[in-house]
Amino acid sequence: MEQVRSEGPSRAVTALIAGWLGVLVGVAGIVVGVATAVLRTLGRQIDLDYVGAGIVGGLGVVYLLGAVLLLRRRMLGRRVLLTMAAVMAGATGLVVVLNGASHGWRFGPLDCWLGLNVVILAFSVIEPTRRWTATR
């Protein structure tokens, strides 16, 4: 008979890192979206318009939802966070490559965003995170 080991704290580390990074990105997106909308309403000129603020805030809500569900050990949370990180890493990677090809290669904020999404993606997809959410 096969013995089932309980998921200890060392195996939950990858899920917790992915979850809390997702929370960080989600809250940051919501704050940026709301702050941009408020500042534009007050008359301040900002590069991001209302539609962009809505998109950033909406993406923040989806990241936050996936992260909270992952931290509650829900497989759906892992899938949402995994999908968001993959889509955002792909889109950001494309922008970085196109921008680098046309304007020269240099390190900037998009590279950090790409790196953060790759880290969330990596921690969401690895085996300990999958097992941690499956052993609820």
Side-chain angles (χ1 to χ4, degrees):
M1 189 160 164
E2 190 176 324
Q3 196 169 17
V4 177
R5 290 190 302 173
S6 67
E7 295 294 320
S10 63
R11 291 193 178 184
V13 169
T14 59
L16 293 175
I17 291 172
W20 284 108
L21 284 175
V23 168
L24 175 75
V25 170
V27 169
I30 293 168
V31 167
V32 167
V34 169
T36 300
V38 167
L39 290 174
R40 285 191 65 87
T41 302
L42 295 176
R44 184 129 188 238
Q45 287 298 328
I46 298 178
D47 290 337
L48 197 62
D49 61 356
Y50 288 112
V51 173
I55 291 170
V56 170
L59 291 173
V61 168
V62 175
Y63 268 104
L64 188 59
L65 173 71
V68 168
L69 287 173
L70 175 64
L71 291 173
R72 295 191 67 202
R73 296 179 82 156
R74 304 272 198 254
M75 186 62 80
L76 176 64
R78 179 181 164 271
R79 289 179 181 146
V80 167
L81 199 58
L82 184 67
T83 302
M84 281 302 297
V87 168
M88 293 308 293
T92 307
L94 180 63
V95 170
V96 167
V97 167
L98 292 175
N99 192 31
S102 63
H103 299 295
W105 299 98
R106 61 185 182 276
F107 187 75
L110 280 178
D111 300 313
C112 295
W113 177 242
L114 177 61
L116 181 61
N117 277 291
V118 168
V119 168
I120 293 172
L121 183 61
F123 281 128
S124 296
V125 79
I126 59 178
E127 181 69 15
T129 301
R130 187 187 64 74
R131 273 187 287 160
W132 187 70
T133 55
T135 58
R136 188 169 178 270

